[in-house]
Amino acid sequence: MGLTKQYLRYAPSGTFNIIASADCNSTHVSLNGISGRYVAVGACEHVIIWDMRLGEKAQVIPGENVVVSQIAASPTGNHMAVGYVDGNINVFELMNNEIVCVFAGHKSAITSLQYDEQGHRIVSGSKDTEVILWDVVSETGVARFSGHKGAITSVLFINGKNCIVSASKDTFIKFWDIETKHCFKTLGGHQMEVWSAVLLKEERYLVTGSMDQELRVWKLNWTDKMKEEDKLVQQLEIVKIEETDNTEDTSVLQCHQVGTLIRGGKGRVVGLCTDPGQSVLACFGTDSLLELFAFCSDEEAKIRMNKRVKKQRKKLAKLKESGEVDAEATEISELLTLSDEVRRLTSVKLSAKIKSATLLLGTTGELRVGVTLSNNTVELHSLKLGEEGEVKCLKQITQPGHQKEPRCVAISSDNLAVLSAAADSVKLWNRTSQACLRSIPLSGGRPCSACFAPGDRHALVGCADGALLLLDVAAARVLEPVPAHTASCNSLGLTPDLRGCYSGGADKTVKLWQFELIPDPTGESKAKVLSLLHTRTLELEEVVCAVKISPNNKFIAVALMDSTVKIFFLDTFKFYLSLYGHKLPVLCLDISYDSNLIATGSADRNVKIWGMDFGDCHKSIFAHNDSVTALQFVPNTHYFFTGSKDGKIKQWDADTYDNIITLNGHAGACWGVCVGAGGLHGASCGADGALRLLARTDEPLVLGDTDDADEPLATGEQHAPVPGLPGLNMPTKKTIGAEKAADSILECLSVGAEYERQVAEARGQPVQPPLLMAAYNCNSAEDFLLEILKKIRSSELEEALLLLPLSAAGEALRLAGALLERGACAELVSRAALFLLRLHRAPLAANPRLLKHLIQIQAKAAIRINELRDMVGYNLHALQWLRREAEAAESEQLFKVAVGEKKARDSKRRARQAVKRPIITVT
């Protein structure tokens, strides 16, 4: 057997240029007890918390390979729930960025996340049309709600009624009861997709946004546990508000449209959001206008109604005097309308399309509005609710990122700086800190190619309008725009002698340039400045896509639009070779350091490796799933990197034609890849707007070795209906972690059974426990099972138990009875035992050998759970006693309790007023 060739692994070493991803929402976060200052946004696979006072990153919650699609901050401020496009949800501890729990239940991207008011539960909606309720405390899925036929757009908790509201693209809004896990009401008043929904004013109003210019406002009236006279009052109110609707006496919830709010923005509703107190509504569409509405308190609404009625009565009296209206005209009725309840606030006009918004209302009446824009910007605005003044922009974060997606990237010769070019600007970055050092605004065409000039003080950028820009990197200015081509400058590079450069354009020419120093044309300094002198031009028959001069300064290779690569002698431009074989145009090419190999990447998804001596094709590799857009050799090797529109970056060996490593680069097309001197570092840019760094590590990589990290996190399989349990609709899905956990349980049971057999045969003689049991410091089979169950992630426990065969389930129940007898980890053991019983109820009950253990579980589980309940109750009452002691010592009431009592008094007063109001209306 021959020696195995080893390589050094390249690993991602940083992602930057992303201020806020356009596909993720934003939310206000409390850090160190401070609110209104920090805004959390998604940034590719990471979550960035921006300090909007300093304009810096306060914290970064790191991700891995999957893009973030939704985030939610817990009401307590301790945790952050992050949903990803693969359907997983991670809950992070904000203090140390550690993952508290992982929830795997959805099959596609998370579209909506919300915590309940205590922060103990999370509800999630996804593109797979499912809504799942998760328990953060026990780290498990509670229920899966299936019924929608379209992607979920919003999920909301109705905390006062223990219900969930979900809105979907199937035009329906559904109300789900958490206790019964069923839909008890479906709202079908929309003709088109419901794109967003929010609850307002103490969960009494539901506002929905669709494809039209109207926001529909629905009033929620709950009829359970209500006195008969209150039902009569509410029905009278509803009849007055919507006489055309039929009241539903049988439903627990009566939901009626009380009016619409007319939007000023264009296009469909993209998002609705509200502050945590549910008093202000923000709406934005496909344009740059953010509209704000305030839902008034009951007292303020009554005052507004009285003003309106008084004004209408005066107007009616004048009309009666002038005789325009009959003297016996009807009186104006005192009835609250939507115009009394809602007032429009000042709209915010922003510089680009809005992608997400988040609101926070302070105790002084100041509203903080955080927005993320489509041009990679985060802004924070302020508005006083009492005063109808202008909206002030407190902070705008634009410097640490391009406003358009970067199209080309280059690394300096000393590996210290990275240059990136986008349509809005050219930026210089520090590679180690990933901070933006210089930003040079551009006003011309979109950059297509870029490189550093010798010495790294200057850079060259070729643009889509044919201009070749000479940049002074240190001074952050454009020295000279050279009109190099009449069409797009597609390729740019330095000549091997570093005395000049070459450019290839869509005007069917390749031009050679020489660097020269000329007096400063502006006259600002006496020092000479760098300029370009055109020396020679190579005329061709087709549009030039890519150009490269061989390192031995002998040949020039030109990729043309006719899918061929022509090679010419550099000194005479005499034709040498034609490389043909690609089916679509070659988009990128490079020549190895020894000028022996040329590699070409094409839009036909293939990479071909050719010999420079005879032009023969050594190998054609089907490299990517989409067009190959970038290709570069690692200096002094025959290894090369390729980037593609499929987002992946791959490293290849041009001698053995092996794929060395595949990196999940970008969430979209990869536009450019470059490798620094010595092959120590690499950089890439892509359609997701991110600039990603690669670093060569000291870790050896042997081809053929499988790595667990390369496996998918979830198989994506859903369980078929379990025989005998058609109603078992698991909130989780089968993952690799659950399969490994099931294997470990089976191994534990077999090792434990073998050990018990050896102990029985020894007849009292000491028996050495197996090595696996000794590793866990266990002396019995039930202790070993308990240790294995403790190691399993709580969210994967039920999935693992579901994969166990019936015989293993019986053995596990036998050991569970012994564990409950001792009282060890009663909650965990009870949960596992009860799930197995629910799963295999009939066959386990029919087994006479298990009957004794089942009776033991039945008795002991109840005793242990009661003990836990008593302990929790004892602690709760002890804390309440301590609170009363503290209140008595300080002679004051705790704020939260006082607020709760005030809300109770207010609700009673509203109920009394509601009784009086319809009586006045009827008479």
Side-chain angles (χ1 to χ4, degrees):
M1 182 178 172
L3 290 174
T4 305
K5 191 170 183 179
Q6 284 192 346
Y7 305 90
L8 291 179
R9 182 188 294 273
Y10 279 85
S13 62
T15 302
F16 54 102
N17 184 58
I18 294 287
I19 297 173
S21 290
D23 299 328
C24 183
N25 66 320
S26 58
T27 180
H28 278 282
V29 178
S30 298
L31 284 184
N32 304 321
I34 301 172
S35 300
R37 175 174 172 178
Y38 302 101
V39 174
V41 298
C44 288
E45 61 269 19
H46 308 301
V47 175
I48 298 175
I49 300 176
W50 288 100
D51 185 336
M52 300 304 290
R53 183 178 294 172
L54 302 177
E56 298 173 352
K57 293 178 184 177
Q59 192 171 333
V60 177
I61 299 174
E64 290 182 353
N65 295 325
V66 190
V67 176
V68 175
S69 62
Q70 198 72 200
I71 57 175
S74 70
T76 56
N78 299 330
H79 298 101
M80 170 83 74
V82 182
Y84 297 91
V85 294
D86 64 351
N88 284 0
I89 300 167
N90 289 2
V91 179
F92 290 90
E93 182 90 40
L94 282 179
M95 291 293 290
N96 49 20
N97 282 355
E98 287 185 359
I99 295 178
V100 177
C101 49
V102 177
F103 297 132
H106 291 289
K107 291 187 285 185
S108 52
I110 305 295
T111 54
S112 185
L113 270 181
Q114 198 193 31
Y115 274 93
D116 68 351
E117 59 184 354
Q118 280 91 22
H120 295 165
R121 296 178 297 180
I122 297 174
V123 63
S124 62
S126 168
K127 286 183 179 177
D128 63 4
T129 74
E130 305 275 322
V131 176
I132 301 181
L133 179 66
W134 309 94
D135 191 324
V136 181
V137 179
S138 63
E139 301 179 12
T140 57
V142 178
R144 180 189 292 270
F145 303 106
S146 303
H148 283 291
K149 297 291 188 289
I152 308 296
T153 52
S154 292
V155 283
L156 309 161
F157 273 107
I158 304 182
N159 292 294
K161 300 294 177 182
N162 202 27
C163 294
I164 290 170
V165 188
S166 61
S168 168
K169 288 187 185 178
D170 63 2
T171 73
F172 293 119
I173 293 172
K174 289 183 181 288
F175 293 81
W176 309 86
D177 190 318
I178 292 173
E179 293 293 330
T180 62
K181 301 177 183 175
H182 283 83
C183 173
F184 64 90
K185 188 172 184 65
T186 300
L187 205 61
H190 298 85
Q191 302 298 318
M192 291 172 284
E193 295 101 328
V194 182
W195 282 98
S196 190
V198 288
L199 289 165
L200 283 146
K201 202 171 177 182
E202 299 168 358
E203 301 173 344
R204 285 187 280 161
Y205 290 96
L206 176 70
V207 181
T208 59
S210 187
M211 301 284 285
D212 49 18
Q213 295 297 108
E214 297 179 347
L215 300 179
R216 292 166 177 78
V217 184
W218 309 78
K219 188 168 185 181
L220 308 182
N221 293 291
W222 299 87
T223 57
D224 58 331
K225 297 180 184 176
M226 203 172 282
K227 296 176 184 177
E228 289 301 321
E229 59 267 25
D230 291 348
K231 285 188 182 179
L232 175 68
V233 165
Q234 288 205 348
Q235 286 180 12
L236 285 168
E237 275 190 325
I238 292 164
V239 169
K240 286 292 173 186
I241 292 167
E242 276 297 323
E243 292 183 354
T244 57
D245 283 356
N246 297 318
T247 57
E248 302 171 9
D249 297 327
T250 56
S251 177
V252 176
L253 169 66
Q254 293 182 2
C255 189
H256 293 266
Q257 187 174 339
V258 294
T260 57
L261 303 174
I262 305 301
R263 295 170 49 225
K266 294 177 182 177
R268 69 170 177 87
V269 171
V270 173
L272 300 173
C273 62
T274 180
D275 65 303
Q278 298 183 346
S279 56
V280 180
L281 171 69
C283 169
F284 55 95
T286 53
D287 56 358
S288 59
L289 185 69
L290 181 72
E291 298 173 81
L292 298 170
F293 303 89
F295 276 66
C296 307
S297 64
D298 289 346
E299 293 81 5
E300 193 180 345
K302 190 77 181 294
I303 293 167
R304 286 168 63 87
M305 182 192 72
N306 291 335
K307 281 183 180 178
R308 176 181 57 80
V309 169
K310 194 183 290 183
K311 195 182 290 183
Q312 286 179 342
R313 282 175 178 165
K314 279 184 182 178
K315 189 176 180 181
L316 188 64
K318 282 183 182 178
L319 291 172
K320 284 179 181 178
E321 286 175 9
S322 62
E324 293 180 28
V325 175
D326 189 12
E328 296 179 359
T330 55
E331 185 62 25
I332 305 297
S333 61
E334 293 189 10
L335 190 67
L336 275 173
T337 63
L338 193 62
S339 59
D340 303 324
E341 296 261 16
V342 184
R343 61 189 178 94
R344 187 184 288 269
L345 302 176
T346 309
S347 297
V348 187
K349 184 70 176 175
L350 296 154
S351 57
K353 286 183 180 180
I354 305 169
K355 290 300 179 181
S356 75
T358 174
L359 304 182
L360 189 66
L361 185 60
T363 52
T364 58
E366 182 191 7
L367 182 69
R368 291 276 175 98
V369 184
V371 290
T372 63
L373 306 180
S374 61
N375 61 357
N376 195 25
T377 302
V378 178
E379 295 182 5
L380 185 66
H381 297 264
S382 175
L383 172 69
K384 279 281 186 182
L385 280 192
E387 313 156 10
E388 291 299 323
E390 285 296 313
V391 179
K392 292 188 295 184
C393 180
L394 300 180
K395 191 69 179 178
Q396 189 177 26
I397 299 178
T398 57
Q399 177 66 13
H402 288 286
Q403 295 194 1
K404 304 283 178 68
E405 64 184 54
R407 301 295 293 221
C408 41
V409 64
I411 296 180
S412 61
S413 59
D414 55 7
N415 278 327
L416 294 179
V418 177
L419 181 88
S420 62
D424 63 315
S425 62
V426 174
K427 288 184 183 286
L428 185 75
W429 309 83
N430 183 322
R431 184 191 54 76
T432 52
S433 67
Q434 291 149 29
C436 181
L437 304 176
R438 300 282 187 277
S439 187
I440 308 169
L442 297 181
S443 56
R446 171 178 58 82
C448 298
S449 50
C451 67
F452 277 97
D456 296 333
R457 287 184 54 84
H458 299 84
L460 302 166
V461 176
C463 298
D465 59 359
L468 185 57
L469 303 180
L470 190 58
L471 309 176
D472 187 337
V473 173
R477 66 191 179 102
V478 179
L479 282 179
E480 183 183 2
V482 180
H485 297 273
T486 56
S488 176
C489 180
N490 292 327
S491 186
L492 189 62
L494 298 180
T495 55
D497 58 5
L498 302 181
R499 293 182 179 180
C501 64
Y502 56 85
S503 63
D507 59 356
K508 304 179 183 179
T509 60
V510 174
K511 294 188 178 181
L512 299 180
W513 308 82
Q514 188 177 336
F515 295 123
E516 63 173 357
L517 292 170
I518 61 170
D520 191 351
T522 60
E524 293 177 1
S525 67
K526 295 180 181 178
K528 291 188 175 183
V529 295
L530 189 69
S531 182
L532 291 175
L533 176 66
H534 178 222
T535 55
R536 301 163 67 200
T537 300
L538 172 61
E539 299 280 349
L540 295 144
E541 303 82 24
E542 292 283 346
V543 171
V544 176
C545 298
V547 184
K548 181 70 179 179
I549 293 178
S550 63
N552 61 7
N553 220 14
K554 191 175 179 183
F555 303 107
I556 181 168
V558 184
L560 301 176
M561 192 59 83
D562 62 2
S563 308
T564 64
V565 177
K566 298 282 195 300
I567 301 177
F568 301 88
F569 288 100
L570 182 61
D571 50 359
T572 61
F573 284 160
K574 184 180 176 183
F575 177 75
Y576 173 55
L577 286 172
S578 178
L579 311 179
Y580 52 89
H582 283 290
K583 296 180 178 66
L584 291 171
V586 173
L587 303 178
C588 50
L589 59 87
D590 198 10
I591 300 174
S592 63
Y593 74 102
D594 53 7
S595 303
N596 287 337
L597 298 175
I598 177 171
T600 58
S602 166
D604 63 8
R605 304 178 285 179
N606 285 295
V607 169
K608 291 184 187 289
I609 300 165
W610 318 75
M612 285 289 285
D613 42 7
F614 301 109
D616 55 327
C617 181
H618 290 184
K619 186 71 173 177
S620 180
I621 306 170
F622 184 75
H624 289 274
N625 294 326
D626 210 331
S627 302
V628 181
T629 53
L631 186 151
Q632 187 170 352
F633 273 97
V634 178
N636 301 320
T637 68
H638 279 181
Y639 311 146
F640 62 92
F641 281 94
T642 58
S644 166
K645 284 187 180 179
D646 65 5
K648 289 189 168 49
I649 297 165
K650 296 186 180 184
Q651 188 187 10
W652 306 85
D653 188 334
D655 294 327
T656 62
Y657 320 121
D658 291 323
N659 179 12
I660 300 170
I661 192 169
T662 299
L663 299 159
N664 289 322
H666 294 271
C670 173
W671 295 123
V673 174
C674 68
V675 185
L680 297 175
H681 298 280
S684 66
C685 59
D688 56 0
L691 293 170
R692 297 177 187 270
L693 289 176
L694 307 172
R696 192 172 70 197
T697 63
D698 294 330
E699 180 188 353
L701 185 148
V702 180
L703 299 185
D705 286 359
T706 57
D707 192 351
D708 289 343
D710 296 334
E711 294 180 28
L713 289 176
T715 60
E717 296 177 31
Q718 290 301 107
H719 293 296
V722 182
L725 288 171
L728 185 67
N729 191 9
M730 298 283 289
T732 52
K733 69 178 178 183
K734 185 165 68 176
T735 61
I736 287 177
E739 291 178 352
K740 289 180 177 177
D743 290 341
S744 65
I745 293 173
L746 287 171
E747 185 181 30
C748 157
L749 293 174
S750 64
V751 169
E754 179 64 23
Y755 177 63
E756 286 182 339
R757 188 185 61 78
Q758 291 176 5
V759 169
E761 289 176 355
R763 299 179 183 276
Q765 295 298 319
V767 177
Q768 187 72 22
L771 288 175
L772 203 56
M773 286 179 66
Y776 283 93
N777 293 324
C778 299
N779 296 318
S780 64
E782 53 265 26
D783 286 340
F784 190 24
L785 176 64
L786 181 61
E787 288 299 321
I788 292 295
L789 289 177
K790 284 180 181 176
K791 297 287 182 186
I792 298 172
R793 187 180 284 160
S794 180
S795 58
E796 294 173 343
L797 178 61
E798 291 183 354
E799 289 292 332
L801 295 174
L802 195 62
L803 295 171
L804 295 181
L806 181 60
S807 58
E811 180 67 17
L813 283 172
R814 184 181 67 79
L815 297 175
L819 286 169
L820 285 172
E821 181 72 38
R822 289 160 38 191
C825 286
E827 188 179 355
L828 174 64
V829 176
S830 299
R831 181 185 160 202
L834 293 174
F835 182 78
L836 286 173
L837 282 169
R838 189 156 54 99
L839 202 61
H840 307 288
R841 183 173 50 197
L844 289 175
N847 189 343
R849 288 185 300 173
L850 280 176
L851 188 59
K852 179 182 72 171
H853 301 292
L854 294 181
I855 293 169
Q856 186 183 25
I857 289 172
Q858 181 185 16
K860 296 299 178 183
I863 293 170
R864 301 304 175 201
I865 296 299
N866 280 330
E867 287 174 0
L868 289 171
R869 192 183 291 120
D870 292 343
M871 183 178 68
V872 171
Y874 181 85
N875 292 339
L876 177 65
H877 285 282
L879 290 170
Q880 288 175 349
W881 179 79
L882 287 171
R883 190 194 76 196
R884 288 195 298 271
E885 288 285 309
E887 288 175 358
E890 299 291 332
S891 300
E892 60 186 20
Q893 199 173 21
L894 289 180
F895 180 71
K896 192 171 181 182
V897 179
V899 169
E901 291 181 359
K902 182 179 181 300
K903 283 184 177 178
R905 288 197 302 271
D906 289 347
S907 63
K908 286 179 182 176
R909 183 167 45 78
R910 279 196 300 271
R912 287 197 299 271
Q913 287 177 349
V915 170
K916 295 173 187 174
R917 196 187 306 149
I919 295 170
I920 296 167
T921 307
V922 170
T923 55

